[in-house]
Amino acid sequence: QEVKYAVDEGADEIDTVLSRGMLLEGKYDVVFEELMAIRSVCKNLKLKVILETGELQTTDNIYIASKIALAAGADFIKTSTGKIAVGATEKAAYIILKAIQEEAENTGRIAGFKAAGGISTALQALNYYKITEYFIGNNIDNNRFRIGASRLTKSLYEQLTA
């Protein structure tokens, strides 16, 4: 209902958070079906699936969550909402981008990656850019790579105005 409301109100992108509890219980089919239902409501709008990688406990869970999100039609996989203690990590970025690369190789469908949650320095941002570049080459644009940069923007502003 929330997605339908957002679509009806003119949203051009939809963010949804993956059901981590269901994933951690091994209920992969429930996670997939929920994402498919959301995909069907948002139709052609860009769908960003947020994994909250800091709560998924293992690299295997991050990989499984990424594969499920991609299979359900995610246009972007995002590490975090930025509302939990552990947001983006370079390890999580690597795993997600590996899944995105495999999806592109297997189906030709190219999804994007968004690093979000705790990125507050230019060096961190550059590291995420370089990890992304490793997997997708230098053909990077806002349809392939984004950074959740609210903390980074504030940090850069403070450095520039100090």
Side-chain angles (χ1 to χ4, degrees):
Q1 294 294 14
E2 290 176 27
V3 174
K4 183 178 180 334
Y5 176 78
V7 170
D8 291 346
E9 291 296 309
D12 56 1
E13 295 187 358
I14 299 296
D15 283 32
T16 189
V17 181
L18 181 122
S19 295
R20 288 140 1 256
M22 292 293 172
L23 186 115
L24 293 173
E25 291 177 21
K27 297 179 180 176
Y28 306 141
D29 55 333
V30 174
V31 175
F32 176 74
E33 289 168 12
E34 180 180 61
L35 291 176
M36 286 297 294
I38 292 168
R39 172 86 266 174
S40 71
V41 173
C42 66
K43 300 175 175 81
N44 295 327
L45 299 180
K46 195 169 298 262
L47 175 61
K48 293 183 286 184
V49 176
I50 304 164
L51 303 186
E52 291 294 22
T53 56
E55 293 184 344
L56 290 180
Q57 301 171 355
T58 69
T59 55
D60 285 345
N61 286 339
I62 294 169
Y63 182 76
I64 291 165
S66 299
K67 296 297 267 187
I68 292 170
L70 292 164
D75 297 302
F76 261 87
I77 297 180
K78 183 175 170 182
T79 54
S80 177
T81 60
K83 308 289 185 204
I84 64 169
V86 178
T89 65
E90 292 173 5
K91 183 186 288 187
Y94 187 93
I95 294 163
I96 293 167
L97 283 157
K98 179 67 175 159
I100 289 171
Q101 180 186 52
E102 290 172 358
E103 176 78 5
E105 290 170 355
N106 293 334
T107 69
R109 193 174 77 77
I110 300 170
F113 167 69
K114 182 171 181 178
I119 302 166
S120 59
T121 70
L123 181 58
Q124 287 174 312
L126 179 61
N127 286 344
Y128 287 108
Y129 180 89
K130 294 307 259 180
I131 294 167
T132 302
E133 185 180 53
Y134 174 80
F135 283 98
I136 69 169
N138 60 6
N139 187 20
I140 296 176
D141 62 21
N142 70 343
N143 289 310
R144 302 290 308 277
F145 175 66
R146 297 180 185 176
I147 293 179
S150 57
R151 290 183 197 168
L152 175 61
T153 303
K154 181 180 178 188
S155 172
L156 290 174
Y157 177 77
E158 288 171 355
Q159 289 175 31
L160 292 171
T161 58

